[in-house]
Amino acid sequence: MKKQVFLLPLLLLLLCGCQQAPQESSTQVYAMDTMMDLTVYASTSEAGEQALHAAETEIYRLDALLSRHDESSAVSAINKSNGTPVAADEEVLSLLKTSVDYFQQTNGAFDVTVAPIMDAWNFTGETPRVPSRQELDQLLTLVGSDRIVFGDGTVTLEEGMAVDLGGIAKGYASDRLAAVFEENGVDSAMVSLGGNVYARGTRPDGNPWRIAVQDPNDPSAYLGVLLLTDKYAITSGGYQRYFEQDGVTYYHIIDPKTGDVARNGLTSVTIVCDSGTMGDALSTALFVMGYDNAVSFWQSYSTDFDMILVDEAGTVYLTEGLKDCFDSSLAEHEYEYVYLTKN
Ligand code: AMP
Ligand code: MG
């Protein structure tokens, strides 16, 4: 009996000693028009490399499916509908239906049918331009997610209409990466797909991940650090893709009601939540809504989430749930931080 009492701690000590510290593996991927950083911690570097390879494969698969600039993608096939039903696979149909749900829930602020308007602005091309009011009014007749018709495994768009999943695809991709990591036994990882961060589990030392939040008014500075475990932190900001003309900055988030760049006083919106897809759709939508509507939306939305809103004056608004997971001590400028409550 006595022997067992001494043997047990010895055995535990030996087991702990044999267990290797998790190995870090990381890679960069350029896809979906953005640079993506992926870091995983796994029991061996081989296991980490294998998980990263699976993640890369998944990202390229989604890019090939959802890109509207790739002529052979499923989304391009849908965009050639011209009034006739197009067969689409279940995954694309499901993401499109989810997008239409967000259109309904955000009172039209999130609208994937802004594609023809995006083309007119040509943000991603070599020659972006400011379309005339007349041109935008003409193109607005092709906008409205409530006009997308779903059939049995098909989708129909009216002639001239097109969809652009750029406001939701990276968030969806981060959800898919969560599944890939699960399949590969990785429970500690951090990925950043452009402005879309997914913090899986904790850091190997058991502490939360630290995610710096950029100052949209001075993107070289940080306005604080989010401390997150198993969360998505997804940012939409005018500073992420833009061009300047005659001293005015034009950026890639469009108000679907006007066809114009969404200028409602906000310079960035970060959503912190449990779903990449939701975070991505809402970050775009709340940016379009502006401060008042974004706060009302947060107060009444059916699913809880947290957010950080930054306005043109540089005030940082944070929802109350972030109080214990936001560290402003290393911020590079002085900011006014205001906490928002639900009542
Ligand atoms: P994000 O960076 O997630 O806010 O998404 C911006 C991208 O979403 C743009 O590059 C467009 O492809 C698309 N987009 C722009 N405005 C909207 C909108 N109001 N609703 C849905 N997608 C949009
Ligand atoms: Mg988005």
Side-chain angles (χ1 to χ4, degrees):
M1 194 62 189
K2 230 180 191 174
K3 242 185 199 166
Q4 274 181 358
V5 172
F6 281 113
L7 274 179
L8 194 65
L10 192 69
L11 199 67
L12 282 174
L13 206 71
L14 281 172
L15 279 175
C16 293
C18 293
Q19 211 174 37
Q20 271 200 339
Q23 302 291 304
E24 179 183 313
S25 310
S26 58
T27 191
Q28 275 198 329
V29 180
Y30 188 83
M32 299 184 168
D33 277 336
T34 194
M35 193 54 89
M36 304 181 166
D37 293 291
L38 292 78
T39 300
V40 301
Y41 288 87
S43 49
T44 62
S45 49
E46 290 76 24
E49 292 300 327
Q50 195 179 324
L52 284 178
H53 179 70
E56 261 184 69
T57 306
E58 181 64 1
I59 289 169
Y60 291 134
R61 184 186 74 83
L62 291 173
D63 204 5
L65 200 65
L66 305 176
S67 166
R68 89 190 168 87
H69 300 295
D70 175 349
E71 276 293 300
S72 59
S73 75
V75 164
S76 288
I78 291 170
N79 285 342
K80 289 177 201 142
S81 163
N82 270 335
T84 53
V86 175
D89 77 31
E90 213 167 302
E91 188 176 19
V92 177
L93 281 179
S94 162
L95 187 59
L96 209 46
K97 283 180 186 166
T98 301
S99 301
V100 177
D101 285 344
Y102 285 114
F103 168 83
Q104 310 286 7
Q105 291 169 18
T106 62
N107 192 25
F110 186 79
D111 190 340
V112 292
T113 63
V114 291
I117 306 260
M118 293 305 296
D119 284 341
W121 286 93
N122 196 21
F123 290 100
T124 44
E126 288 193 352
T127 50
R129 55 186 269 273
V130 183
S132 69
R133 184 68 260 160
Q134 195 188 11
E135 185 180 355
L136 289 177
D137 284 340
Q138 182 69 31
L139 292 171
L140 280 173
T141 63
L142 301 169
V143 175
S145 282
D146 46 349
R147 288 154 59 185
I148 301 176
V149 178
F150 293 100
D152 188 14
T154 67
V155 57
T156 309
L157 298 178
E158 292 164 39
E159 193 176 343
M161 282 183 76
V163 293
D164 177 345
L165 297 179
I168 199 168
K170 290 197 279 290
Y172 176 68
S174 62
D175 283 335
R176 285 295 313 141
L177 292 189
V180 168
F181 292 149
E182 187 70 36
E183 283 157 23
N184 283 268
V186 168
D187 53 18
S188 171
M190 156 110 119
V191 302
S192 172
L193 316 181
N196 298 242
V197 173
Y198 167 47
R200 180 171 177 83
T202 63
R203 293 195 315 196
D205 64 5
N207 285 312
W209 293 101
R210 298 177 64 83
I211 295 136
V213 184
Q214 246 173 320
D215 177 353
N217 302 326
D218 173 10
S220 66
Y222 296 109
L223 46 87
V225 175
L226 280 166
L227 308 174
L228 299 179
T229 301
D230 261 330
K231 289 277 176 207
Y232 297 81
I234 301 207
T235 300
S236 287
Y239 61 94
Q240 290 169 332
R241 175 159 288 148
Y242 62 90
F243 67 91
E244 282 171 3
Q245 189 173 301
D246 302 328
V248 183
T249 304
Y250 298 92
Y251 46 80
H252 68 139
I253 305 174
I254 296 297
D255 183 337
K257 302 225 163 55
T258 64
D260 227 320
V261 164
R263 274 187 224 282
N264 293 311
L266 293 178
T267 47
S268 80
V269 173
T270 298
I271 305 288
V272 179
C273 64
D274 297 323
S275 151
T277 306
M278 174 177 126
D280 202 358
L282 293 191
S283 67
T284 308
L286 271 57
F287 188 97
V288 170
M289 285 180 196
Y291 177 84
D292 288 340
N293 289 332
V295 173
S296 311
F297 184 90
W298 168 70
Q299 285 171 329
S300 59
Y301 192 55
S302 55
T303 306
D304 278 338
F305 66 92
D306 278 295
M307 64 181 183
I308 303 175
L309 308 177
V310 187
D311 68 11
E312 282 163 356
T315 307
V316 182
Y317 299 91
L318 305 102
T319 52
E320 53 196 348
L322 297 178
K323 243 186 183 136
D324 295 329
C325 47
F326 184 75
D327 177 2
S328 60
S329 64
L330 294 175
E332 290 163 65
H333 301 312
E334 285 225 347
Y335 299 94
E336 187 189 351
Y337 300 97
V338 178
Y339 278 92
L340 303 168
T341 54
K342 281 219 166 155
N343 34 47

